[in-house]
C-alpha cells in the first residue's frame, strides 16, 4: 500500500502537540498585524495571548490565504518522494485557500502526471477542520488506507457541527457578517449571537441571548440536542483567549458525558475576524441542520 500523509492548513486550530504527534504537514495562513506579517505557526512567532491583547487594544489585522506557490512546493516535496497526499482544506465558502490548492495540484500534474493528491473541501473552520484531521490521522495510524480515510471524511464532514458565540459584535460587522446597526444595538443591549456553519460552509445565525453565561449555556443545550453518541467521540472547543469560559463549557459536557474534550485557541486567521472571547464547540451529529 502506497504511503500517504495528512496535510492541512492553520485554520484547523489544532494544538501543536497533536500536530507533532501525528506528523501533520501544516501550512500557515497569513496574518498582517501592526505592519508585520505572521505566517501562522501554532502561536510560536506571535503568542495567542499577545495577539488577542493587541485586538483588545484596537489593532485591526488583515489576513491572506495560502497562495498556489506554497501549495506547489508542499505537493512537489511529497510527489518526489512518491508519497500520496490528502489535504483537508478550510471551507471554500470562507477562504480562497481551497482554490489555491486546486490550482497547485493542476500545475503539479503537468510536471508529475503520476502525482497522487486528494484535496477535500471540509466545509469547516477552526477545530471543525481539526476534528476531521484528528479523525483522519487516527484512522491512518490504525491502518486505514488512503481511500478509506477519504471516504470517511466525505461521509462525515457534513455531520460535524460548528456552534459559536462571540462577545464583540464589531468584529463580525467589520467582516460583513452583520449590519452596523445590528452591531451597535446588540452591543448596547449585551446581545450575544449564536452562530453555526451549515452544509454550504458559510456562517449563519441560529439565535441570540442576552449575556455571556446564557450564551454558553445555549451552546451546551444545542450540543445536547444535536450530538450523537458523545461518549464515543472526541469533542473540540476553541476560544479567542477566554480559557475559563472554554473550561466551563468543557466541564458541562464532561460532568454529564464520559468523553474527551480537547481545547485550544482560535488562531490568528480566524481570530482576526471573530475577535477576542469567541467561544466555539465542535462535535459529530446526524447532520448540521438547525431548526
Amino acid at each position: 500500500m502506497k504511503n500517504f500523509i495528512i496535510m492541512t492548513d492553520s485554520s484547523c486550530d489544532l494544538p501543536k502537540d497533536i500536530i507533532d504527534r501525528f506528523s501533520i504537514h501544516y501550512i500557515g495562513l497569513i496574518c498582517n498585524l501592526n505592519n508585520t506579517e505572521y505566517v501562522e505557526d501554532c502561536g510560536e512567532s506571535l503568542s495567542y495571548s499577545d495577539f488577542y491583547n493587541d485586538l483588545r487594544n484596537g489593532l485591526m489585522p488583515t489576513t491572506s490565504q495560502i497562495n498556489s506557490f506554497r501549495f506547489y512546493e508542499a505537493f512537489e516535496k511529497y510527489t518526489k518522494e512518491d508519497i500520496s497526499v490528502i489535504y483537508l482544506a478550510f471551507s471554500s465558502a470562507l477562504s480562497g485557500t481551497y482554490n489555491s490548492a486546486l490550482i497547485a495540484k493542476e500545475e503539479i500534474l503537468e510536471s508529475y502526471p503520476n502525482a497522487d493528491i486528494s484535496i477535500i473541501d471540509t466545509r469547516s473552520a477552526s477545530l471543525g477542520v481539526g476534528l476531521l484531521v484528528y479523525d483522519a490521522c487516527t484512522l491512518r495510524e490504525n491502518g486505514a488506507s488512503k481511500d478509506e480515510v477519504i471516504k470517511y471524511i466525505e461521509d462525515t464532514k457534513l455531520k460535524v457541527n460548528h456552534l459559536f458565540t462571540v462577545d464583540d459584535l464589531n468584529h463580525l460587522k467589520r467582516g460583513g457578517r452583520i449590519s452596523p446597526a445590528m452591531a451597535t444595538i446588540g452591543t448596547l443591549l449585551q446581545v450575544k449571537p449564536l452562530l453555526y456553519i451549515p452544509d454550504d460552509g458559510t456562517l449563519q445565525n441560529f439565535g441570540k441571548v442576552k449575556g455571556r453565561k446564557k450564551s454558553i449555556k445555549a451552546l451546551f443545550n444545542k450540543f445536547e440536542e444535536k450530538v450523537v453518541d458523545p461518549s464515543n467521540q472526541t469533542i473540540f472547543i476553541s476560544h479567542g483567549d477566554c480559557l475559563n469560559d472554554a473550561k466551563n463549557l468543557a466541564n458541562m459536557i464532561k460532568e454529564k458525558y464520559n468523553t474527551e474534550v480537547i481545547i485550544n485557541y482560535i488562531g490568528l486567521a480566524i481570530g482576526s475576524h471573530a475577535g477576542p472571547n469567541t467561544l466555539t464547540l465542535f462535535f459529530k451529529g446526524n447532520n448540521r441542520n438547525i431548526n
Side-chain angles (χ1 to χ4, degrees):
M1 182 172 64
K2 190 174 182 179
N3 192 20
F4 67 96
I5 61 105
I6 307 294
M7 182 184 295
T8 192
D9 54 68
S10 60
S11 74
C12 72
D13 288 341
L14 282 168
K16 189 174 187 303
D17 62 333
I18 291 178
I19 298 290
D20 293 341
R21 170 186 158 191
F22 288 118
S23 299
I24 299 166
H25 189 112
Y26 169 101
I27 306 178
L29 291 150
I30 296 170
C31 175
N32 296 281
L33 180 66
N34 201 21
N35 297 316
T36 302
E37 181 178 279
Y38 296 95
V39 178
E40 283 200 87
D41 56 3
C42 296
E44 294 194 336
S45 298
L46 175 64
S47 74
Y48 295 122
S49 59
D50 286 346
F51 168 71
Y52 282 105
N53 283 335
D54 283 343
L55 266 59
R56 290 185 176 105
N57 290 326
L59 290 182
M60 293 294 181
T62 59
T63 60
S64 303
Q65 67 192 50
I66 302 165
N67 62 36
S68 60
F69 176 74
R70 292 176 64 202
F71 278 117
Y72 186 96
E73 286 187 318
F75 293 157
E76 184 179 45
K77 174 184 183 295
Y78 291 106
T79 296
K80 285 182 173 179
E81 296 172 2
D82 197 31
I83 296 173
S84 299
V85 174
I86 302 175
Y87 167 55
L88 303 182
F90 192 6
S91 172
S92 63
L94 299 173
S95 170
T97 294
Y98 171 73
N99 288 328
S100 293
L102 292 178
I103 291 168
K105 176 181 175 179
E106 292 305 311
E107 293 173 346
I108 284 286
L109 289 172
E110 290 176 4
S111 301
Y112 305 92
N114 295 323
D116 183 12
I117 301 166
S118 299
I119 300 172
I120 299 175
D121 181 358
T122 64
R123 305 289 181 91
S124 298
S126 189
L127 279 172
V129 180
L131 184 160
L132 291 168
V133 172
Y134 184 87
D135 282 359
C137 290
T138 301
L139 287 168
R140 179 182 178 275
E141 196 173 64
N142 290 334
S145 68
K146 179 173 182 278
D147 287 344
E148 288 170 335
V149 171
I150 290 171
K151 184 179 187 308
Y152 172 83
I153 298 301
E154 292 290 1
D155 289 345
T156 303
K157 66 183 185 182
L158 296 184
K159 297 176 182 177
V160 178
N161 283 245
H162 300 53
L163 305 181
F164 298 72
T165 189
V166 300
D167 199 41
D168 184 349
L169 293 166
N170 289 304
H171 289 276
L172 289 177
K173 178 192 73 175
R174 189 164 60 89
R177 297 295 177 188
I178 61 173
S179 69
M182 186 182 295
T184 300
I185 294 170
T187 300
L188 289 172
L189 297 178
Q190 284 293 296
V191 170
K192 307 302 180 186
L194 304 171
L195 308 149
Y196 77 110
I197 292 183
D199 288 355
D200 64 3
T202 59
L203 189 61
Q204 302 292 333
N205 290 316
F206 72 87
K208 59 183 181 292
V209 295
K210 189 174 181 180
R212 181 68 168 181
K213 287 185 179 179
K214 288 182 179 178
S215 69
I216 295 172
K217 186 64 162 62
L219 293 184
F220 176 73
N221 290 343
K222 186 58 69 173
F223 164 81
E224 289 209 289
E225 177 186 321
K226 295 287 297 175
V227 72
V228 172
D229 199 12
S231 297
N232 287 310
Q233 61 169 294
T234 300
I235 311 300
F236 292 80
I237 296 172
S238 60
H239 65 93
D241 197 32
C242 52
L243 181 58
N244 286 337
D245 287 344
K247 287 181 176 179
N248 288 339
L249 179 57
N251 287 336
M252 289 181 193
I253 295 168
K254 290 190 287 188
E255 284 171 5
K256 188 163 184 181
Y257 303 101
N258 179 28
T259 190
E260 179 185 21
V261 180
I262 292 175
I263 300 173
N264 197 37
Y265 282 90
I266 298 170
L268 279 57
I270 295 175
S272 294
H273 300 283
N277 300 327
T278 297
L279 186 63
T280 68
L281 175 60
F282 308 91
F283 57 91
K284 285 172 284 193
N286 285 323
N287 54 57
R288 292 184 176 184
N289 297 334
I290 292 183
N291 298 323

